mmCIF file with all atom_site columns, all heavy atoms in Angstrom:
data_model
loop_
_atom_site.group_PDB
_atom_site.id
_atom_site.type_symbol
_atom_site.label_atom_id
_atom_site.label_alt_id
_atom_site.label_comp_id
_atom_site.label_asym_id
_atom_site.label_entity_id
_atom_site.label_seq_id
_atom_site.pdbx_PDB_ins_code
_atom_site.Cartn_x
_atom_site.Cartn_y
_atom_site.Cartn_z
_atom_site.occupancy
_atom_site.B_iso_or_equiv
_atom_site.pdbx_formal_charge
_atom_site.auth_seq_id
_atom_site.auth_comp_id
_atom_site.auth_asym_id
_atom_site.auth_atom_id
_atom_site.pdbx_PDB_model_num
ATOM 1   N N   . ASN A 1 11  ? -0.771 -7.853  5.731   1.00 88.00 ? 106 ASN A N   1
ATOM 2   C CA  . ASN A 1 11  ? -0.767 -9.301  5.528   1.00 88.00 ? 106 ASN A CA  1
ATOM 3   C C   . ASN A 1 11  ? -2.153 -9.880  5.205   1.00 88.00 ? 106 ASN A C   1
ATOM 4   O O   . ASN A 1 11  ? -3.118 -9.080  5.060   1.00 88.00 ? 106 ASN A O   1
ATOM 5   C CB  . ASN A 1 11  ? -0.143 -10.030 6.728   1.00 88.00 ? 106 ASN A CB  1
ATOM 6   C CG  . ASN A 1 11  ? -0.974 -9.906  8.001   1.00 88.00 ? 106 ASN A CG  1
ATOM 7   O OD1 . ASN A 1 11  ? -2.162 -9.563  7.955   1.00 88.00 ? 106 ASN A OD1 1
ATOM 8   N ND2 . ASN A 1 11  ? -0.326 -10.125 9.131   1.00 88.00 ? 106 ASN A ND2 1
ATOM 9   N N   . GLY A 1 14  ? -5.115 -8.652  7.058   1.00 89.00 ? 109 GLY A N   1
ATOM 10  C CA  . GLY A 1 14  ? -5.428 -7.227  7.064   1.00 89.00 ? 109 GLY A CA  1
ATOM 11  C C   . GLY A 1 14  ? -4.648 -6.440  8.060   1.00 89.00 ? 109 GLY A C   1
ATOM 12  O O   . GLY A 1 14  ? -4.976 -5.269  8.357   1.00 89.00 ? 109 GLY A O   1
ATOM 13  N N   . ARG A 1 16  ? -1.312 -4.516  9.446   1.00 92.00 ? 111 ARG A N   1
ATOM 14  C CA  . ARG A 1 16  ? -0.114 -3.857  8.958   1.00 92.00 ? 111 ARG A CA  1
ATOM 15  C C   . ARG A 1 16  ? 1.141  -4.544  9.549   1.00 92.00 ? 111 ARG A C   1
ATOM 16  O O   . ARG A 1 16  ? 1.252  -4.740  10.741  1.00 92.00 ? 111 ARG A O   1
ATOM 17  C CB  . ARG A 1 16  ? -0.132 -2.387  9.312   1.00 92.00 ? 111 ARG A CB  1
ATOM 18  C CG  . ARG A 1 16  ? 1.058  -1.596  8.827   1.00 92.00 ? 111 ARG A CG  1
ATOM 19  C CD  . ARG A 1 16  ? 1.053  -0.150  9.338   1.00 92.00 ? 111 ARG A CD  1
ATOM 20  N NE  . ARG A 1 16  ? -0.058 0.585   8.760   1.00 92.00 ? 111 ARG A NE  1
ATOM 21  C CZ  . ARG A 1 16  ? -0.291 1.872   9.021   1.00 92.00 ? 111 ARG A CZ  1
ATOM 22  N NH1 . ARG A 1 16  ? 0.503  2.520   9.875   1.00 92.00 ? 111 ARG A NH1 1
ATOM 23  N NH2 . ARG A 1 16  ? -1.353 2.497   8.500   1.00 92.00 ? 111 ARG A NH2 1
ATOM 24  N N   . GLN A 1 20  ? 9.663  -6.027  10.395  1.00 94.00 ? 115 GLN A N   1
ATOM 25  C CA  . GLN A 1 20  ? 9.738  -7.296  9.693   1.00 94.00 ? 115 GLN A CA  1
ATOM 26  C C   . GLN A 1 20  ? 10.185 -7.074  8.253   1.00 94.00 ? 115 GLN A C   1
ATOM 27  O O   . GLN A 1 20  ? 9.904  -6.091  7.625   1.00 94.00 ? 115 GLN A O   1
ATOM 28  C CB  . GLN A 1 20  ? 8.348  -7.953  9.730   1.00 94.00 ? 115 GLN A CB  1
ATOM 29  C CG  . GLN A 1 20  ? 8.275  -9.333  9.095   1.00 94.00 ? 115 GLN A CG  1
ATOM 30  C CD  . GLN A 1 20  ? 6.883  -9.902  9.248   1.00 94.00 ? 115 GLN A CD  1
ATOM 31  O OE1 . GLN A 1 20  ? 6.235  -9.741  10.285  1.00 94.00 ? 115 GLN A OE1 1
ATOM 32  N NE2 . GLN A 1 20  ? 6.385  -10.564 8.187   1.00 94.00 ? 115 GLN A NE2 1
ATOM 33  N N   . TRP A 1 21  ? 10.935 -8.064  7.716   1.00 96.00 ? 116 TRP A N   1
ATOM 34  C CA  . TRP A 1 21  ? 11.273 -8.088  6.301   1.00 96.00 ? 116 TRP A CA  1
ATOM 35  C C   . TRP A 1 21  ? 10.069 -8.519  5.488   1.00 96.00 ? 116 TRP A C   1
ATOM 36  O O   . TRP A 1 21  ? 9.308  -9.426  5.903   1.00 96.00 ? 116 TRP A O   1
ATOM 37  C CB  . TRP A 1 21  ? 12.438 -9.038  6.043   1.00 96.00 ? 116 TRP A CB  1
ATOM 38  C CG  . TRP A 1 21  ? 13.776 -8.553  6.486   1.00 96.00 ? 116 TRP A CG  1
ATOM 39  C CD1 . TRP A 1 21  ? 14.466 -8.939  7.572   1.00 96.00 ? 116 TRP A CD1 1
ATOM 40  C CD2 . TRP A 1 21  ? 14.573 -7.555  5.837   1.00 96.00 ? 116 TRP A CD2 1
ATOM 41  N NE1 . TRP A 1 21  ? 15.636 -8.231  7.665   1.00 96.00 ? 116 TRP A NE1 1
ATOM 42  C CE2 . TRP A 1 21  ? 15.758 -7.385  6.602   1.00 96.00 ? 116 TRP A CE2 1
ATOM 43  C CE3 . TRP A 1 21  ? 14.415 -6.766  4.687   1.00 96.00 ? 116 TRP A CE3 1
ATOM 44  C CZ2 . TRP A 1 21  ? 16.756 -6.508  6.253   1.00 96.00 ? 116 TRP A CZ2 1
ATOM 45  C CZ3 . TRP A 1 21  ? 15.395 -5.877  4.346   1.00 96.00 ? 116 TRP A CZ3 1
ATOM 46  C CH2 . TRP A 1 21  ? 16.544 -5.743  5.120   1.00 96.00 ? 116 TRP A CH2 1
ATOM 47  N N   . TYR A 1 42  ? 12.076 -5.367  1.417   1.00 96.00 ? 137 TYR A N   1
ATOM 48  C CA  . TYR A 1 42  ? 11.761 -4.128  2.145   1.00 96.00 ? 137 TYR A CA  1
ATOM 49  C C   . TYR A 1 42  ? 11.855 -4.459  3.650   1.00 96.00 ? 137 TYR A C   1
ATOM 50  O O   . TYR A 1 42  ? 11.614 -5.567  4.084   1.00 96.00 ? 137 TYR A O   1
ATOM 51  C CB  . TYR A 1 42  ? 10.322 -3.651  1.869   1.00 96.00 ? 137 TYR A CB  1
ATOM 52  C CG  . TYR A 1 42  ? 9.990  -3.416  0.420   1.00 96.00 ? 137 TYR A CG  1
ATOM 53  C CD1 . TYR A 1 42  ? 9.625  -4.467  -0.408  1.00 96.00 ? 137 TYR A CD1 1
ATOM 54  C CD2 . TYR A 1 42  ? 10.013 -2.130  -0.087  1.00 96.00 ? 137 TYR A CD2 1
ATOM 55  C CE1 . TYR A 1 42  ? 9.291  -4.231  -1.736  1.00 96.00 ? 137 TYR A CE1 1
ATOM 56  C CE2 . TYR A 1 42  ? 9.699  -1.874  -1.417  1.00 96.00 ? 137 TYR A CE2 1
ATOM 57  C CZ  . TYR A 1 42  ? 9.345  -2.942  -2.219  1.00 96.00 ? 137 TYR A CZ  1
ATOM 58  O OH  . TYR A 1 42  ? 8.987  -2.727  -3.566  1.00 96.00 ? 137 TYR A OH  1
ATOM 59  N N   . GLY A 1 55  ? 17.200 11.480  0.633   1.00 79.00 ? 150 GLY A N   1
ATOM 60  C CA  . GLY A 1 55  ? 18.069 12.452  0.003   1.00 79.00 ? 150 GLY A CA  1
ATOM 61  C C   . GLY A 1 55  ? 18.886 11.810  -1.097  1.00 79.00 ? 150 GLY A C   1
ATOM 62  O O   . GLY A 1 55  ? 18.436 10.885  -1.758  1.00 79.00 ? 150 GLY A O   1
ATOM 63  N N   . PHE A 1 58  ? 21.904 6.735   0.262   1.00 93.00 ? 153 PHE A N   1
ATOM 64  C CA  . PHE A 1 58  ? 21.046 5.621   0.695   1.00 93.00 ? 153 PHE A CA  1
ATOM 65  C C   . PHE A 1 58  ? 20.756 5.745   2.223   1.00 93.00 ? 153 PHE A C   1
ATOM 66  O O   . PHE A 1 58  ? 21.574 6.318   2.963   1.00 93.00 ? 153 PHE A O   1
ATOM 67  C CB  . PHE A 1 58  ? 21.727 4.284   0.454   1.00 93.00 ? 153 PHE A CB  1
ATOM 68  C CG  . PHE A 1 58  ? 21.936 3.975   -1.019  1.00 93.00 ? 153 PHE A CG  1
ATOM 69  C CD1 . PHE A 1 58  ? 23.184 4.006   -1.574  1.00 93.00 ? 153 PHE A CD1 1
ATOM 70  C CD2 . PHE A 1 58  ? 20.844 3.674   -1.832  1.00 93.00 ? 153 PHE A CD2 1
ATOM 71  C CE1 . PHE A 1 58  ? 23.399 3.740   -2.905  1.00 93.00 ? 153 PHE A CE1 1
ATOM 72  C CE2 . PHE A 1 58  ? 21.037 3.389   -3.184  1.00 93.00 ? 153 PHE A CE2 1
ATOM 73  C CZ  . PHE A 1 58  ? 22.296 3.411   -3.721  1.00 93.00 ? 153 PHE A CZ  1
ATOM 74  N N   . LYS A 1 59  ? 19.640 5.203   2.622   1.00 94.00 ? 154 LYS A N   1
ATOM 75  C CA  . LYS A 1 59  ? 19.361 5.115   4.053   1.00 94.00 ? 154 LYS A CA  1
ATOM 76  C C   . LYS A 1 59  ? 20.118 3.880   4.599   1.00 94.00 ? 154 LYS A C   1
ATOM 77  O O   . LYS A 1 59  ? 19.982 2.781   4.079   1.00 94.00 ? 154 LYS A O   1
ATOM 78  C CB  . LYS A 1 59  ? 17.849 4.947   4.329   1.00 94.00 ? 154 LYS A CB  1
ATOM 79  C CG  . LYS A 1 59  ? 17.550 4.775   5.798   1.00 94.00 ? 154 LYS A CG  1
ATOM 80  C CD  . LYS A 1 59  ? 16.041 4.744   6.082   1.00 94.00 ? 154 LYS A CD  1
ATOM 81  C CE  . LYS A 1 59  ? 15.767 4.538   7.603   1.00 94.00 ? 154 LYS A CE  1
ATOM 82  N NZ  . LYS A 1 59  ? 16.335 5.573   8.421   1.00 94.00 ? 154 LYS A NZ  1
ATOM 83  N N   . LYS A 1 60  ? 20.889 4.102   5.655   1.00 94.00 ? 155 LYS A N   1
ATOM 84  C CA  . LYS A 1 60  ? 21.667 3.027   6.262   1.00 94.00 ? 155 LYS A CA  1
ATOM 85  C C   . LYS A 1 60  ? 21.062 2.653   7.601   1.00 94.00 ? 155 LYS A C   1
ATOM 86  O O   . LYS A 1 60  ? 20.773 3.561   8.403   1.00 94.00 ? 155 LYS A O   1
ATOM 87  C CB  . LYS A 1 60  ? 23.109 3.454   6.429   1.00 94.00 ? 155 LYS A CB  1
ATOM 88  C CG  . LYS A 1 60  ? 23.764 3.911   5.142   1.00 94.00 ? 155 LYS A CG  1
ATOM 89  C CD  . LYS A 1 60  ? 25.184 4.418   5.380   1.00 94.00 ? 155 LYS A CD  1
ATOM 90  C CE  . LYS A 1 60  ? 25.773 5.012   4.124   1.00 94.00 ? 155 LYS A CE  1
ATOM 91  N NZ  . LYS A 1 60  ? 25.048 6.218   3.671   1.00 94.00 ? 155 LYS A NZ  1
ATOM 92  N N   . SER A 1 78  ? 21.806 -4.217  -2.904  1.00 95.00 ? 173 SER A N   1
ATOM 93  C CA  . SER A 1 78  ? 22.752 -5.364  -2.798  1.00 95.00 ? 173 SER A CA  1
ATOM 94  C C   . SER A 1 78  ? 23.897 -5.142  -3.761  1.00 95.00 ? 173 SER A C   1
ATOM 95  O O   . SER A 1 78  ? 23.911 -4.188  -4.562  1.00 95.00 ? 173 SER A O   1
ATOM 96  C CB  . SER A 1 78  ? 22.019 -6.673  -3.133  1.00 95.00 ? 173 SER A CB  1
ATOM 97  O OG  . SER A 1 78  ? 21.506 -6.664  -4.452  1.00 95.00 ? 173 SER A OG  1
ATOM 98  N N   . GLU A 1 93  ? 21.406 -10.466 -3.886  1.00 93.00 ? 188 GLU A N   1
ATOM 99  C CA  . GLU A 1 93  ? 20.089 -9.792  -3.745  1.00 93.00 ? 188 GLU A CA  1
ATOM 100 C C   . GLU A 1 93  ? 19.246 -10.321 -2.556  1.00 93.00 ? 188 GLU A C   1
ATOM 101 O O   . GLU A 1 93  ? 18.298 -9.655  -2.163  1.00 93.00 ? 188 GLU A O   1
ATOM 102 C CB  . GLU A 1 93  ? 19.292 -9.924  -5.021  1.00 93.00 ? 188 GLU A CB  1
ATOM 103 C CG  . GLU A 1 93  ? 18.864 -11.354 -5.369  1.00 93.00 ? 188 GLU A CG  1
ATOM 104 C CD  . GLU A 1 93  ? 18.012 -11.423 -6.600  1.00 93.00 ? 188 GLU A CD  1
ATOM 105 O OE1 . GLU A 1 93  ? 18.531 -11.316 -7.714  1.00 93.00 ? 188 GLU A OE1 1
ATOM 106 O OE2 . GLU A 1 93  ? 16.768 -11.591 -6.464  1.00 93.00 ? 188 GLU A OE2 1
ATOM 107 N N   . ASP A 1 117 ? 45.946 6.674   -15.518 1.00 49.00 ? 212 ASP A N   1
ATOM 108 C CA  . ASP A 1 117 ? 45.504 6.346   -16.867 1.00 49.00 ? 212 ASP A CA  1
ATOM 109 C C   . ASP A 1 117 ? 45.829 4.973   -17.295 1.00 49.00 ? 212 ASP A C   1
ATOM 110 O O   . ASP A 1 117 ? 45.836 4.659   -18.480 1.00 49.00 ? 212 ASP A O   1
ATOM 111 C CB  . ASP A 1 117 ? 46.050 7.385   -17.881 1.00 49.00 ? 212 ASP A CB  1
ATOM 112 C CG  . ASP A 1 117 ? 45.565 8.791   -17.594 1.00 49.00 ? 212 ASP A CG  1
ATOM 113 O OD1 . ASP A 1 117 ? 44.356 8.900   -17.162 1.00 49.00 ? 212 ASP A OD1 1
ATOM 114 O OD2 . ASP A 1 117 ? 46.305 9.727   -17.781 1.00 49.00 ? 212 ASP A OD2 1
ATOM 115 N N   . ASP A 1 121 ? 45.540 -4.804  -14.886 1.00 73.00 ? 216 ASP A N   1
ATOM 116 C CA  . ASP A 1 121 ? 45.860 -5.953  -15.727 1.00 73.00 ? 216 ASP A CA  1
ATOM 117 C C   . ASP A 1 121 ? 45.346 -7.249  -15.153 1.00 73.00 ? 216 ASP A C   1
ATOM 118 O O   . ASP A 1 121 ? 45.815 -8.335  -15.508 1.00 73.00 ? 216 ASP A O   1
ATOM 119 C CB  . ASP A 1 121 ? 47.374 -6.019  -16.000 1.00 73.00 ? 216 ASP A CB  1
ATOM 120 C CG  . ASP A 1 121 ? 48.201 -6.119  -14.724 1.00 73.00 ? 216 ASP A CG  1
ATOM 121 O OD1 . ASP A 1 121 ? 47.580 -6.167  -13.649 1.00 73.00 ? 216 ASP A OD1 1
ATOM 122 O OD2 . ASP A 1 121 ? 49.428 -6.111  -14.834 1.00 73.00 ? 216 ASP A OD2 1
ATOM 123 N N   . TYR A 1 142 ? 47.316 -1.313  9.241   1.00 83.00 ? 237 TYR A N   1
ATOM 124 C CA  . TYR A 1 142 ? 47.867 -2.450  9.967   1.00 83.00 ? 237 TYR A CA  1
ATOM 125 C C   . TYR A 1 142 ? 46.707 -3.409  10.255  1.00 83.00 ? 237 TYR A C   1
ATOM 126 O O   . TYR A 1 142 ? 45.786 -3.069  11.033  1.00 83.00 ? 237 TYR A O   1
ATOM 127 C CB  . TYR A 1 142 ? 48.518 -1.969  11.239  1.00 83.00 ? 237 TYR A CB  1
ATOM 128 C CG  . TYR A 1 142 ? 49.319 -3.005  11.996  1.00 83.00 ? 237 TYR A CG  1
ATOM 129 C CD1 . TYR A 1 142 ? 50.526 -3.491  11.475  1.00 83.00 ? 237 TYR A CD1 1
ATOM 130 C CD2 . TYR A 1 142 ? 48.871 -3.488  13.221  1.00 83.00 ? 237 TYR A CD2 1
ATOM 131 C CE1 . TYR A 1 142 ? 51.254 -4.447  12.163  1.00 83.00 ? 237 TYR A CE1 1
ATOM 132 C CE2 . TYR A 1 142 ? 49.606 -4.419  13.912  1.00 83.00 ? 237 TYR A CE2 1
ATOM 133 C CZ  . TYR A 1 142 ? 50.802 -4.900  13.390  1.00 83.00 ? 237 TYR A CZ  1
ATOM 134 O OH  . TYR A 1 142 ? 51.526 -5.821  14.080  1.00 83.00 ? 237 TYR A OH  1
ATOM 135 N N   . TYR A 1 172 ? 59.490 6.886   -0.461  1.00 50.00 ? 267 TYR A N   1
ATOM 136 C CA  . TYR A 1 172 ? 59.510 5.630   0.314   1.00 50.00 ? 267 TYR A CA  1
ATOM 137 C C   . TYR A 1 172 ? 59.168 4.455   -0.610  1.00 50.00 ? 267 TYR A C   1
ATOM 138 O O   . TYR A 1 172 ? 58.158 4.484   -1.329  1.00 50.00 ? 267 TYR A O   1
ATOM 139 C CB  . TYR A 1 172 ? 58.486 5.733   1.419   1.00 50.00 ? 267 TYR A CB  1
ATOM 140 C CG  . TYR A 1 172 ? 58.348 4.574   2.342   1.00 50.00 ? 267 TYR A CG  1
ATOM 141 C CD1 . TYR A 1 172 ? 59.253 4.392   3.399   1.00 50.00 ? 267 TYR A CD1 1
ATOM 142 C CD2 . TYR A 1 172 ? 57.348 3.624   2.187   1.00 50.00 ? 267 TYR A CD2 1
ATOM 143 C CE1 . TYR A 1 172 ? 59.123 3.335   4.280   1.00 50.00 ? 267 TYR A CE1 1
ATOM 144 C CE2 . TYR A 1 172 ? 57.249 2.549   3.051   1.00 50.00 ? 267 TYR A CE2 1
ATOM 145 C CZ  . TYR A 1 172 ? 58.130 2.425   4.094   1.00 50.00 ? 267 TYR A CZ  1
ATOM 146 O OH  . TYR A 1 172 ? 58.002 1.373   4.956   1.00 50.00 ? 267 TYR A OH  1
ATOM 147 N N   . TRP A 1 187 ? 64.879 -10.012 3.731   1.00 76.00 ? 282 TRP A N   1
ATOM 148 C CA  . TRP A 1 187 ? 65.355 -10.269 2.368   1.00 76.00 ? 282 TRP A CA  1
ATOM 149 C C   . TRP A 1 187 ? 64.206 -10.739 1.430   1.00 76.00 ? 282 TRP A C   1
ATOM 150 O O   . TRP A 1 187 ? 63.343 -11.487 1.840   1.00 76.00 ? 282 TRP A O   1
ATOM 151 C CB  . TRP A 1 187 ? 66.426 -11.373 2.407   1.00 76.00 ? 282 TRP A CB  1
ATOM 152 C CG  . TRP A 1 187 ? 67.736 -10.905 2.976   1.00 76.00 ? 282 TRP A CG  1
ATOM 153 C CD1 . TRP A 1 187 ? 68.237 -11.190 4.214   1.00 76.00 ? 282 TRP A CD1 1
ATOM 154 C CD2 . TRP A 1 187 ? 68.712 -10.069 2.329   1.00 76.00 ? 282 TRP A CD2 1
ATOM 155 N NE1 . TRP A 1 187 ? 69.439 -10.560 4.391   1.00 76.00 ? 282 TRP A NE1 1
ATOM 156 C CE2 . TRP A 1 187 ? 69.762 -9.877  3.243   1.00 76.00 ? 282 TRP A CE2 1
ATOM 157 C CE3 . TRP A 1 187 ? 68.767 -9.458  1.077   1.00 76.00 ? 282 TRP A CE3 1
ATOM 158 C CZ2 . TRP A 1 187 ? 70.863 -9.115  2.926   1.00 76.00 ? 282 TRP A CZ2 1
ATOM 159 C CZ3 . TRP A 1 187 ? 69.868 -8.675  0.761   1.00 76.00 ? 282 TRP A CZ3 1
ATOM 160 C CH2 . TRP A 1 187 ? 70.896 -8.511  1.703   1.00 76.00 ? 282 TRP A CH2 1
ATOM 161 N N   . ASN A 1 207 ? 62.333 -2.285  8.647   1.00 60.00 ? 302 ASN A N   1
ATOM 162 C CA  . ASN A 1 207 ? 61.162 -2.362  9.470   1.00 60.00 ? 302 ASN A CA  1
ATOM 163 C C   . ASN A 1 207 ? 59.938 -1.689  8.808   1.00 60.00 ? 302 ASN A C   1
ATOM 164 O O   . ASN A 1 207 ? 59.997 -0.491  8.448   1.00 60.00 ? 302 ASN A O   1
ATOM 165 C CB  . ASN A 1 207 ? 61.440 -1.671  10.816  1.00 60.00 ? 302 ASN A CB  1
ATOM 166 C CG  . ASN A 1 207 ? 60.375 -1.922  11.843  1.00 60.00 ? 302 ASN A CG  1
ATOM 167 O OD1 . ASN A 1 207 ? 59.200 -2.151  11.508  1.00 60.00 ? 302 ASN A OD1 1
ATOM 168 N ND2 . ASN A 1 207 ? 60.751 -1.880  13.101  1.00 60.00 ? 302 ASN A ND2 1
#
Side-chain angles (χ1 to χ4, degrees):
N106 66 19
R111 182 185 294 180
Q115 183 177 320
W116 286 105
Y137 303 82
F153 295 109
K154 178 175 177 60
K155 305 175 186 65
S173 61
E188 65 176 77
D212 297 323
D216 57 3
Y237 189 70
Y267 182 81
W282 288 104
N302 190 333

